[in-house]
Amino acid sequence: MTGRARRCGRSALLLLSFASGAADVLAVVALGGAFAGIMTGNLVLLGAAAAGERSQGVWAPALALGGYLLGTVLAVPLTGRGGGRRAWPRGALWCLGAETVVLASVAVAWTVADRPDPGGVAAGALLVPLSAAMGAQATTVLSLGREGAPTTFFTSTLTSLVAGFAARQPGVDGWAVARLACLFAGACGAVLVRRAVPDVALFLPAVLVAAAVAVVAAGRRQ
């Protein structure tokens, strides 16, 4: 990869991390109390609900988990296409493009339904495609190999970063810090947008993923 293409790829991963933070917080506060991309959290919520310790029931985490798995399965054939020698093959862009369409469709449906109550049937139904989009995103990034980096789950990233500090290793992994910062900013930004302009809040993840596709496409054209 050229230096410009690598920079574009990393910028796209930062945008995807931002989108992931936005999608997860909106799934929790606007759709029903389950995560769109953090499946370990949903498994814990599902286990608690199955044991009767969660008043919201099993439906939200179950729908989110099912959607995520569906998105992962559907993304696999796409991410394997058009590889060649590029770090970001056409298949990855097709998959992210499809994710953008799904995210935008969720936002449109949420707006048309007049922002349904979190935890209701309509909001819960929207968790499925939203989580599917996050599953597709995670699968796409995983398919990039060394040029990829997690954008939907960060426990290992945070652990490695803190372990490095604890071990007094020289230097700071700025790349890990940047992705964690984007995740945080995405969650914070989505909440602020939802408070200021509720009707457009759920469009934020779609806009960010579309921007990531545009950045990668620009790097491929050089």
Side-chain angles (χ1 to χ4, degrees):
M1 291 181 71
T2 65
R4 183 171 183 269
R6 188 180 298 275
R7 288 194 297 273
C8 287
R10 288 206 158 191
S11 296
L13 292 174
L14 292 178
L15 287 166
L16 292 176
S17 300
F18 205 117
S20 178
D24 268 319
V25 78
L26 290 170
V28 170
V29 303
L31 296 184
F35 298 106
I38 307 173
M39 291 304 110
T40 49
N42 283 336
L43 284 170
V44 171
L45 294 177
L46 190 58
E53 290 296 329
R54 191 165 180 262
S55 60
Q56 293 93 330
V58 302
W59 287 110
L63 288 170
L65 179 61
Y68 188 92
L69 296 177
L70 176 63
T72 299
V73 170
L74 293 178
V76 169
L78 283 176
T79 55
R81 294 182 181 178
R85 296 183 179 181
R86 293 182 182 273
W88 285 76
R90 286 192 303 274
L93 293 183
W94 291 341
C95 198
L96 292 179
E99 180 192 356
T100 302
V101 172
V102 172
L103 290 172
S105 299
V106 170
V108 170
W110 184 71
T111 303
V112 170
D114 196 23
R115 306 196 304 274
D117 292 335
V121 174
L126 291 176
L127 271 173
V128 176
L130 183 63
S131 299
M134 291 297 102
Q137 177 177 312
T139 304
T140 300
V141 172
L142 186 64
S143 75
L144 300 177
R146 291 191 307 169
E147 296 301 327
T151 62
T152 58
F153 45 88
F154 290 87
T155 303
S156 60
T157 301
L158 182 61
T159 302
S160 298
L161 183 64
V162 175
F165 278 118
R168 298 182 180 179
Q169 295 177 354
V172 176
D173 188 352
W175 175 228
V177 172
R179 286 182 290 115
L180 287 167
C182 284
L183 179 78
F184 177 85
C188 184
V191 170
L192 293 175
V193 171
R194 183 170 179 259
R195 288 178 181 171
V197 196
D199 286 336
V200 304
L202 238 67
F203 286 94
L204 183 59
V207 170
L208 290 166
V209 176
V213 174
V215 167
V216 173
R220 284 172 57 94
R221 283 198 297 267
Q222 62 176 328

